[in-house]
């Protein structure tokens, strides 16, 4: 009996479980079963500064593992359904479309989940893979290839999509909670936004309490101080970095700064941005204006 047939026989004999097996996974990924089983995941870890202060831990997969994760993303995960309220990392959505759901609302409530990727546990990822039809051996193998230290690594190309797929039920419950209290809801990665057509404190307090309870039930915690915001129309309402009081736009001070940079660039003043950085800001402004106008039609 060859090595490949022997491994398949042992998998079935010792409880590979119902569902698609490693041979099917190998066929879809166009790699050999032995290569999948023998892959040794490796990560390089480092930190990067957060805009809000502190640092963010990144676990970057090795080039070989990253290439396989990209193949898993394209061939296994990309077409699987996520909840309609999810806007982060999804085709057809952006920070603009996410913010547009909450424009011109009486109250905007924003919550931020602590350590979102790392708190999306390997146990839940394994359960998800089995639920969509893979046997236990494949589920364990996919967890080994996509998870790191018990959760999703921030730096792996599979992590954003998996975080959306695994959390379908979470997003369903949060959407139902919002609807019960007359609110709109979207989730952009770890950023949860609820918005209300009327300023009724009993409603948004009930949503905050209910959201905390639901998140806790799924293994998540929110930042209780700096990143729990309740903003009314007379405040500046910001969603995924964009102001939404009237129309979706960059914050006023950012627009003024960008106009000043453009003026210096035209008049030969001392540059504060490289040409590449200025081109990036122009592209962002163009994207915001184009998508905002398209969504308003």
């Amino acid at each position: 009996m060859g090595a490949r047939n022997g491994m398949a026989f042992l998998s079935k004999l010792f409880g590979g479980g119902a569902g698609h097996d490693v041979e099917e996974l190998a066929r879809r990924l166009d790699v050999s079963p032995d290569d999948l089983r023998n892959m040794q995941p490796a990560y390089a870890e480092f930190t990067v500064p957060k805009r809000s202060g502190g640092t963010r831990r990144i676990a970057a997969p090795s080039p070989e593992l990253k290439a396989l994760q990209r193949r898993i993303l394209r061939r296994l995960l990309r077409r699987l359904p996520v909840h309609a309220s999810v806007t982060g990392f999804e085709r057809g959505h952006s920070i603009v479309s996410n913010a547009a759901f909450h424009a011109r609302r009486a109250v905007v409530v924003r919550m931020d989940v602590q350590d979102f990727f790392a708190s999306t546990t390997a146990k839940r990822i394994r359960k998800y893979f089995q639920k969509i039809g893979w046997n236990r051996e494949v589920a364990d193998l996919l967890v080994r290839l996509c998870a790191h230290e018990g959760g999703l690594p921030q730096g792996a190309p599979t992590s954003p999509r998996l975080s959306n797929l695994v959390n379908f039920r979470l997003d369903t419950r949060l959407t139902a909670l919002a609807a019960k209290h007359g609110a709109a809801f979207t989730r952009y990665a770890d950023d949860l936004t609820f918005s209300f057509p009327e300023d009724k404190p009993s409603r948004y307090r009930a949503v905050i309490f209910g959201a905390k309870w639901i998140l806790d039930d799924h293994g998540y915690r929110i930042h209780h101080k700096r990143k729990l915001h309740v903003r009314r129309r007379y405040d500046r309402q910001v969603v995924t970095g964009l102001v939404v009081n009237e129309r979706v736009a960059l914050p006023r001070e950012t627009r003024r700064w960008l106009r000043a940079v453009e003026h210096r660039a035209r008049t030969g003043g001392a540059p504060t941005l490289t040409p590449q950085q200025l081109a990036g800001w122009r592209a962002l402004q163009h994207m915001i204006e184009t998508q905002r106008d398209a969504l308003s039609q």
Side-chain angles (χ1 to χ4, degrees), residues 182-216:
F185 166 71
T186 60
R187 181 174 65 79
Y188 194 98
D190 59 353
D191 195 344
L192 280 59
T193 307
F194 299 87
S195 60
F196 301 78
E198 299 176 275
D199 188 353
K200 293 186 176 182
S202 61
R203 292 193 174 185
Y204 65 73
R205 287 171 185 161
V207 164
I208 293 172
F209 177 83
K212 288 179 181 179
W213 189 88
I214 292 170
L215 286 163
D216 182 75

Side-chain angles (χ1 to χ4, degrees), residues 12 18 26 30 84 87 94 103 136 142 170 179 206 210 290:
K12 293 176 182 178
D30 196 23
T87 57
S94 67
R136 285 196 297 273
L142 286 169
L170 167 69
T290 301

